[in-house]
């Protein structure tokens, strides 16, 4: 029986940051660990130290030329013009920094560890994972190594024949979708901001349904701005049973980007972490335990709170009603200029769990789901 959860993380990420002014320069995994320890929600033995991915794991998804270029740029912490043009490295979006190669190696090794832990009957969560925009030979959307892609490839290598990838990040998982687009062993389900107004702009539309031998195992749910808890849950609860019916997955990988939360300044969704947690519960209630990865998320406090909730669920711990002094100290110590001083965000420093942000499910959201599912009926 699968009972024990493992958090795969490391304090090494503290020294593997993106460049100044980059949305990902913020503390994420280290902050989550500090918060969980302060709240006494994590024991040392539940934490698995992250390891680096090895070359054979990286090449399950990536081209060697690209990997060698990343390695070279990491050595000099600089970029050649040729590499910038060919591989999209060393741009504002994908800057050269310790996070680029060393941080990605660690995050990707952790996703493979998650696969290994799952096969050893643990419930694994790698909060550093979920870098879903990277392409085999191109950096994209702050992502250099596509660790979900590597994890899925590892599962296929282990003999799994039906892998469901669910992506709840506010942005479409273009790198993962395109890699497995013709592969009938992988179903990609993504709920995200419509590319009509949000990154990656060119991918994530409803008509992208995969092109494998079958009917195509890809389901995109591109949503309008301002999605509330009720709307997010409406599409997820509506889509999942249909996906399970037509695909019958053996295993699933869930990407848990927190940029769908209202506090996140890089997306236009308005979820509470109550809704985020309910979405997580919905997946787990329908599918049992899976492999859990982090994802986007640019408000460090909102991110650490949301992933702490996920950890409480994975370990069957009660969510504490109030934050203790140690936890408050951890959160107050975060240096984050985007913190909105004008709005009362005091609640983020008092509790872990938000009040629900429910509301009406708009007609266009209902119609979108109907249209998306009609194809599979
Ligand atoms: Zn995102």
């Amino acid at each position: 029986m699968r009972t024990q959860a493992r958090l795969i993380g490391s304090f090494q990420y503290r020294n593997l940051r993106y460049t100044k002014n980059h949305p990902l320069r913020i503390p994420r995994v280290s902050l989550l660990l500090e918060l969980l320890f302060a709240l006494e929600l994590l024991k040392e033995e539940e934490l698995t130290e992250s390891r680096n991915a090895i070359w054979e794991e990286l090449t399950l998804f990536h081209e060697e030329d690209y990997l060698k270029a990343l390695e070279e740029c990491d050595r000099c912490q600089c970029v050649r013009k040729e590499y910038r043009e060919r591989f999209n490295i060393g741009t504002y979006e994908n800057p050269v920094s310790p996070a680029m190669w060393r941080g990605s190696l660690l995050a990707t090794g952790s996703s493979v560890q998650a696969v290994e832990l799952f096969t050893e009957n643990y419930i694994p969560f790698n909060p550093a994972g979920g870098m879903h925009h990277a392409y085999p030979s191109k950096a994209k959307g702050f992502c250099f190594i596509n660790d979900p892609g590597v994890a899925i490839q590892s599962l296929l290598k282990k003999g799994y024949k039906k892998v469901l990838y669910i992506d709840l990040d506010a942005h479409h998982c273009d790198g993962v979708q395109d890699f497995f687009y013709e592969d009938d062993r992988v179903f990609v389900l993504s709920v995200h901001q419509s590319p009509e107004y949000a990154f990656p702009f060119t991918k994530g539309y409803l008509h992208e349904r995969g092109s494998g031998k079958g009917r195509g195992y890809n389901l995109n749910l591109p949503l309008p701005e301002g999605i509330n808890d009720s709307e997010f849950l409406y599409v997820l609860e509506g889509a999942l049973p249909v996906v399970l019916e037509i695909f019958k997955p053996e295993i699933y990988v869930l990407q848990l980007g927190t940029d769908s939360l209202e506090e996140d300044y890089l997306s236009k969704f308005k979820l509470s972490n109550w809704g985020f947690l309910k979405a997580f519960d919905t997946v787990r209630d329908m599918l049992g335990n899976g492999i859990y990865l982090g994802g986007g998320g640019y408000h460090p406090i909102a991110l650490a709170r949301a992933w702490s909730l996920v950890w409480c669920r994975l370990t069957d711990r009660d969510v504490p009603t109030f934050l203790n002094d140690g936890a408050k100290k951890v959160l107050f110590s975060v240096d984050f200029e985007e913190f909105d001083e004008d709005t009362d965000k005091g609640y983020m420093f008092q509790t872990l769990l938000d009040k629900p942000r429910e509301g009406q499910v708009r007609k266009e959201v209902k119609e979108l789901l109907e249209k998306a599912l009609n194809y599979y009926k």
Side-chain angles (χ1 to χ4, degrees):
M1 168 110 169
R2 195 180 298 276
T3 49
Q4 283 190 319
R6 284 287 180 272
L7 204 155
I8 308 152
S10 176
F11 284 107
Q12 289 182 67
Y13 290 107
R14 275 180 184 150
N15 302 317
L16 299 171
R17 295 280 177 83
Y18 282 68
T19 45
K20 270 190 180 162
N21 304 321
H22 192 280
L24 279 183
R25 77 196 171 285
I26 52 169
R28 303 172 94 241
V29 175
S30 58
L31 182 66
L32 172 68
L33 296 181
E34 284 170 14
L35 181 61
L36 289 173
F37 278 129
L39 289 167
E40 295 179 13
L41 293 172
L42 175 65
K43 291 187 199 140
E44 286 289 349
E45 59 267 29
E46 292 171 305
L47 179 63
T48 298
E49 176 68 23
S50 300
R51 68 153 170 91
N52 285 334
I54 57 169
W55 199 259
E56 291 69 28
E57 291 161 352
L58 300 170
T59 52
L60 289 172
F61 189 93
H62 290 281
E63 302 291 339
E64 300 230 357
D65 284 0
Y66 171 65
L67 296 170
K68 283 177 186 159
L70 285 174
E71 225 180 359
E72 190 186 317
C73 293
D74 178 63
R75 274 197 297 274
C76 66
Q77 287 294 299
C78 65
V79 64
R80 282 202 254 154
K81 189 163 169 263
E82 181 208 334
Y83 290 166
R84 185 179 291 124
E85 284 162 5
R86 240 178 103 192
F87 302 124
N88 206 22
I89 311 168
T91 57
Y92 170 76
E93 182 186 323
N94 312 305
V96 176
S97 78
M100 176 190 71
W101 177 244
R102 279 167 281 158
S104 300
L105 281 183
L106 211 51
T108 306
S110 304
S111 285
V112 181
Q113 281 173 291
V115 168
E116 287 160 357
L117 284 166
F118 188 87
T119 57
E120 290 160 19
N121 275 336
Y122 290 99
I123 311 165
F125 177 29
N126 168 26
M131 305 304 273
H132 56 181
H133 295 305
Y135 274 74
S137 57
K138 200 173 85 172
K140 191 175 178 188
F142 317 157
C143 304
F144 298 93
I145 304 288
N146 197 312
D147 66 278
V150 171
I152 295 167
Q153 285 282 67
S154 306
L155 287 168
L156 296 175
K157 223 175 119 188
K158 282 187 187 294
Y160 286 95
K161 289 182 180 64
K162 293 266 176 183
V163 181
L164 171 60
Y165 173 73
I166 306 169
D167 193 303
L168 300 184
D169 194 281
H171 303 97
H172 177 252
C173 50
D174 50 351
V176 180
Q177 168 184 297
D178 285 5
F179 190 87
F180 296 105
Y181 206 66
E182 294 174 6
D183 196 330
D184 285 335
R185 297 171 300 172
V186 180
F187 195 115
V188 173
L189 167 65
S190 179
V191 184
H192 51 267
Q193 300 174 102
S194 169
E196 282 171 14
Y197 68 91
F199 190 86
F201 301 108
T202 53
K203 294 279 171 166
Y205 290 92
L206 194 63
H207 64 80
E208 294 156 27
R209 290 180 173 119
S211 60
K213 281 188 240 93
R215 309 193 67 180
Y217 289 142
N218 197 75
L219 178 54
N220 283 328
L221 295 164
L223 300 174
E225 294 181 21
I227 288 297
N228 59 40
D229 291 346
S230 314
E231 290 176 318
F232 198 84
L233 293 166
Y234 177 86
V235 295
L236 190 64
E237 284 165 9
L240 267 178
V242 177
V243 172
L244 301 194
E245 174 64 31
I246 56 175
F247 187 66
K248 300 183 175 60
E250 295 167 277
I251 190 166
Y252 73 98
V253 177
L254 175 62
Q255 198 267 21
L256 289 159
T258 65
D259 44 11
S260 49
L261 297 171
E262 187 175 12
E263 289 83 2
D264 200 285
Y265 68 108
L266 281 193
S267 98
K268 295 186 165 66
F269 279 4
K270 294 192 177 307
L271 257 60
S272 69
N273 68 23
W274 176 89
F276 176 85
L277 185 63
K278 192 104 188 351
F280 169 83
D281 288 342
T282 300
V283 171
R284 218 165 152 228
D285 288 348
M286 286 194 203
L287 280 153
N289 289 308
I291 293 172
Y292 304 103
L293 307 177
Y298 308 95
H299 192 303
I301 316 278
L303 169 146
R305 289 170 82 241
W307 285 345
S308 296
L309 295 173
V310 166
W311 180 246
C312 285
R313 281 292 196 273
L314 293 180
T315 56
D316 282 327
R317 286 177 165 99
D318 292 332
V319 174
T321 312
F322 295 104
L323 297 183
N324 60 24
D325 288 345
K328 285 181 193 172
K329 209 175 138 198
V330 166
L331 297 186
F332 275 124
S333 70
V334 177
D335 179 18
F336 182 55
E337 300 109 65
E338 280 80 2
F339 193 74
D340 193 348
E341 302 286 348
D342 299 332
T343 341
D344 179 23
K345 294 276 161 74
Y347 62 90
M348 295 180 89
F349 296 91
Q350 301 299 326
T351 61
L352 269 192
L353 188 61
D354 299 332
K355 291 195 178 72
R357 293 172 192 152
E358 293 170 293
Q360 216 198 335
V361 179
R362 281 167 280 174
K363 198 168 158 250
E364 59 188 303
V365 173
K366 288 184 182 170
E367 283 172 359
L368 176 98
L369 179 68
E370 207 190 321
K371 232 166 132 183
L373 297 185
N374 268 343
Y375 173 80
Y376 293 103
K377 278 175 188 161

